[in-house]
Amino acid sequence: EIEIMKTGAALALIGSAAAFAPAQTGKASTQLNAFEGELGSQPPLGFFDPLGLLDDADQERFDRLRFVELKHGRISMLAFLGNIITRAGVHLGGSIDQAGDSFDSFPNGWAAINGPDAIPGAGLAQMVALVGALELGVM
């Protein structure tokens, strides 16, 4: 009876080990085989394009999208750093407009865009227009 229990326990352990073993999957068929060798293509997914932005794309389109992805990642890092710095109380010196409002007179974070002490709408529109011009024209 003890032998049967030991055998049963050993079989249960062997069966549970299979739950942690990697599943055997075949290579997925994709139209993006042209970009499988690019930097960032890793197993088990290979080249990952869930939105299909590169369906029927050439190398020039791939390079452009990769450049834009890197640029936006760097801009996001700078935006995060700017948020951290202003929340620490570090602000630019001088006035933000001709009325004499200083940079530190506006609140930090979302309150600078929407709230009672927010940046005026015309100033916000100028900032958005500048970023749009940089995005479309320069970068």
Side-chain angles (χ1 to χ4, degrees), residues 16-134:
S16 65
F20 298 102
Q24 297 295 328
T25 58
K27 183 75 174 163
S29 173
T30 179
Q31 296 177 346
L32 300 175
N33 289 334
F35 304 119
E36 284 293 330
E38 291 290 338
L39 182 66
S41 176
Q42 301 177 11
L45 295 177
F47 183 74
F48 187 63
D49 183 22
L51 298 178
L53 296 175
L54 292 171
D55 291 347
D56 301 325
D58 58 355
Q59 187 67 37
E60 182 180 347
R61 171 100 171 126
F62 176 82
D63 291 340
R64 172 71 182 144
L65 288 178
R66 175 152 291 179
F67 170 77
V68 169
E69 179 182 13
L70 288 173
K71 177 184 68 168
H72 289 157
R74 291 172 180 157
I75 290 170
S76 297
M77 289 186 274
L78 287 173
F80 178 77
L81 183 62
N83 191 8
I84 297 275
I85 289 173
T86 57
R87 287 187 184 259
V90 178
H91 296 277
L92 295 172
S95 298
I96 195 169
D97 58 10
Q98 293 181 352
D101 295 323
S102 63
F103 283 97
D104 59 356
S105 67
F106 295 104
N108 298 325
W110 182 252
I113 295 173
N114 186 15
D117 297 328
I119 297 170
L124 187 60
Q126 288 176 6
M127 287 188 269
V128 170
L130 174 65
V131 170
L134 289 173

Side-chain angles (χ1 to χ4, degrees), residues 4-24:
I4 295 174
M5 286 178 54
K6 287 182 180 178
T7 305
L11 290 174
L13 285 173
I14 292 170
S16 65
F20 298 102
Q24 297 295 328

